[in-house]
Amino acid sequence: MIANATLDTHLLIAFTAYFVNAASPGPSNLAIMSIAANHGRRPALTFALGVMSGSLFWAMVAMLGISATLLAYAQFLVALKIFGGAYLLWLAFKSGRAALRPSSSATFVPTDANGNLSLRRLYLRGTLLHLTNPKAVLGWMSVVALASGPDGTLPVAVVPGCATLGLTIFCGYAMLFSTRAARRVYLRIRRGLDGCLAVVFGTAGWQLLTSRM
């Protein structure tokens, strides 16, 4: 009974930590908001599912204990930091260019050969945004550590629970910011928000490239 109560406490702490981290403003959430307000619900939900897919990949890696092995190799972490930082800087450039244009379309959103928005590429972009963030690996390692009991027992509910929280948060942002009222407001201040998004992407990319882990 006591062991189960302790395990439930650890699980609640892990859920709380994941919720705070997932709901906090960051590149992924701001991108979801921007896509929702500028392009609508379906593209935003597609991008959100991509972000969640990347998160679940690192969840499985952490659950299997592979993350500790990967982080033991400095070359892997350095390569991930360089690729992730460069990718964020590229998104910053695309968002900055969108902010300088009078068009209402955000140019960091991918399009196909005909100039139409590509949901497949949008999903992949959301996934890549999370896969190239080494902090996601460290974040899931923390969640697994917090959820584990004193004997190292890991509740089976930790990943499904966090996945439910993540989907609720990311898709909630997509639903909220794709409403008609939100889109009207966004279209009036679109260039300023794209500029803010460029700063967020650029700052995150620079910090990732220059940070020490």
Side-chain angles (χ1 to χ4, degrees):
M1 184 71 70
I2 296 177
N4 288 337
T6 302
L7 206 57
D8 290 341
T9 301
H10 283 276
L11 187 59
L12 181 60
I13 294 172
F15 283 160
T16 302
Y18 180 85
F19 177 85
V20 172
N21 182 63
S24 300
S28 296
N29 286 334
L30 290 177
I32 291 171
M33 296 174 193
S34 177
I35 293 169
N38 200 49
H39 295 278
R41 185 166 299 170
R42 189 180 177 192
L45 288 173
T46 301
F47 187 87
L49 289 176
V51 170
M52 197 65 229
S53 297
S55 180
L56 288 177
F57 172 82
W58 289 126
M60 293 296 102
V61 168
M63 285 282 290
L64 296 173
I66 302 174
S67 54
T69 303
L70 292 176
L71 293 178
Y73 292 91
Q75 296 88 343
F76 167 79
L77 194 57
V78 170
L80 195 60
K81 284 175 58 179
I82 292 174
F83 190 81
Y87 181 63
L88 285 169
L89 290 178
W90 178 73
L91 289 179
F93 167 75
K94 299 287 281 185
S95 297
R97 190 169 65 176
L100 296 175
R101 291 182 174 180
S103 171
S104 61
S105 297
T107 57
F108 75 87
V109 173
T111 55
D112 58 23
N114 297 320
N116 300 316
L117 187 143
S118 172
L119 293 179
R120 181 180 65 85
R121 292 177 62 189
L122 195 59
Y123 170 82
L124 292 175
R125 185 162 291 183
T127 304
L128 188 61
L129 184 61
H130 221 73
L131 287 179
T132 55
N133 186 3
K135 294 184 185 298
V137 192
L138 300 175
W140 269 106
M141 288 182 68
S142 299
V143 168
V144 169
L146 288 170
S148 300
D151 58 351
T153 303
L154 186 65
V156 295
V158 61
V159 171
C162 288
T164 301
L165 285 173
L167 280 173
T168 301
I169 293 167
F170 299 139
C171 292
Y173 281 137
M175 298 288 285
L176 176 63
F177 284 85
S178 61
T179 60
R180 184 173 299 177
R183 296 188 72 179
R184 281 201 303 266
V185 172
Y186 177 83
L187 290 176
R188 288 199 297 266
I189 60 174
R190 195 271 311 166
R191 296 178 70 181
L193 288 182
D194 278 344
C196 291
L197 198 60
V199 172
V200 171
F201 281 141
T203 301
W206 180 255
Q207 288 181 344
L208 195 56
L209 288 172
T210 58
S211 64
R212 294 184 179 181
M213 296 183 182

